[in-house]
Amino acid sequence: MKNLLLAGVPWAALAPILVVALVFEIYCLVDLTRSEVQNLPTWAWALLIVFANPLGGIAYLIVGRLPR
């Protein structure tokens, strides 16, 4: 029996978006390990980056790390 929910998904169009989102998440996590953070502990920023993608990463880059 065919899965009707995923049958009409245009995977060729979604694949680049998913790859960009994954690369952005990895970038934010690597930057988190190398930077000083503010407003939240490091573990909280990591959870936000992983579970609120991409908004968690954007929030981290704007208000989470100290200015360089």
Side-chain angles (χ1 to χ4, degrees):
M1 189 169 171
K2 205 175 193 183
N3 188 347
L4 297 178
L5 183 62
L6 298 177
V9 175
W11 291 110
L14 288 178
I17 296 169
L18 295 174
V19 168
V20 168
L22 180 65
V23 168
F24 178 67
E25 186 173 331
I26 291 169
Y27 169 78
C28 288
L29 289 171
V30 169
D31 187 72
L32 177 65
T33 62
R34 295 179 179 176
S35 299
E36 294 290 326
V37 296
Q38 61 184 4
N39 300 325
L40 289 174
T42 303
W43 63 268
W45 280 118
L47 288 177
L48 270 172
I49 291 168
V50 170
F51 291 115
N53 195 17
L55 295 178
I58 293 169
Y60 163 70
L61 292 175
I62 294 173
V63 298
R65 63 181 177 174
L66 292 173
R68 296 177 189 214

